[in-house]
């Protein structure tokens, strides 16, 4: 609620500033066009910021688990990585619906990588270190890139 109010206020201020600044131009059509462009840009930036704000809480726990497990694999403790990744499916089931609409065209790569992680660490699976490490790295990369925007 507070974020929506801030977003509305921010858009209103951007529109007012755009209209004020555009009033200095000679041509009223140019002034209106400039105001629309400025307001559109402010709305786009606000939406991007809102998306990033929603994305981090969904992606961070997933990345934390993946990186912890990757560290276990690299440290030679594959059994600990397999045990830790037993909780991945539940975590992913909660995070994916938030990540999907915000990932845009990166979603197919993320979804494919997540499915590989799920298959690799499925109950009863016994991946070797190379397969486990590859699956983890394959999802860590695209998820990390979402937060780097």
């Amino acid at each position: 609620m507070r974020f929506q109010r801030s977003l509305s206020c921010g858009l209103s201020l951007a529109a007012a500033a755009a209209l004020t600044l555009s009033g200095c131009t000679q041509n009223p059509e140019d002034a209106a066009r400039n105001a629309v462009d400025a307001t559109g840009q402010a709305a786009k930036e606000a939406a991007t910021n809102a998306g990033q704000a929603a994305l981090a809480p969904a992606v961070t726990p997933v990345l934390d688990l993946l990186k912890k497990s990757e560290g276990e694999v690299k440290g030679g403790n594959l059994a600990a990585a397999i045990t830790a990744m037993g909780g991945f499916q539940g975590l992913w089931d909660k995070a994916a619906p938030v990540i999907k609409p915000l990932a845009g065209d990166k979603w197919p790569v993320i979804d494919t990588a997540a499915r590989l992680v799920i298959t690799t660490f499925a109950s009863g699976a016994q991946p070797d270190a190379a397969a486990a490490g590859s699956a983890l790295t394959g999802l860590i990369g695209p998820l990390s890139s979402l937060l780097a925007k």
Side-chain angles (χ1 to χ4, degrees), residues 41-114:
Q41 183 61 32
K44 182 178 176 182
E45 288 174 16
T48 298
N49 291 339
Q52 287 298 104
L55 196 55
V59 172
T60 300
V62 175
L63 278 174
D64 289 347
L65 177 60
L66 293 169
K67 289 177 180 179
K68 178 181 183 237
S69 297
E70 180 185 42
E72 295 289 358
V73 170
K74 287 180 178 178
N77 197 352
L78 184 58
I82 292 170
T83 300
M85 290 304 291
F88 179 78
Q89 179 76 56
L91 183 60
W92 184 248
D93 289 346
K94 291 178 184 175
V98 175
I99 297 168
K100 183 178 180 178
L102 301 172
D105 62 354
K106 293 180 181 182
W107 176 250
V109 171
I110 292 168
D111 186 49
T112 300

Side-chain angles (χ1 to χ4, degrees), residues 90-143:
L91 183 60
W92 184 248
D93 289 346
K94 291 178 184 175
V98 175
I99 297 168
K100 183 178 180 178
L102 301 172
D105 62 354
K106 293 180 181 182
W107 176 250
V109 171
I110 292 168
D111 186 49
T112 300
R115 289 174 196 260
L116 178 59
V117 167
I118 291 166
T119 302
T120 301
F121 293 97
S123 180
Q126 294 297 318
D128 62 17
S134 178
L136 293 166
T137 304
L139 184 54
I140 290 170
L143 283 179

Side-chain angles (χ1 to χ4, degrees), residues 12 17 30 74 84 97 113:
S12 298
D30 289 340
K74 287 180 178 178

Side-chain angles (χ1 to χ4, degrees), residues 15-36 38:
L19 288 170
T20 300
L21 291 173
S22 64
C24 298
T25 63
Q26 296 284 336
N27 185 338
E29 289 176 10
D30 289 340
R33 190 175 306 114
N34 290 341
V36 168

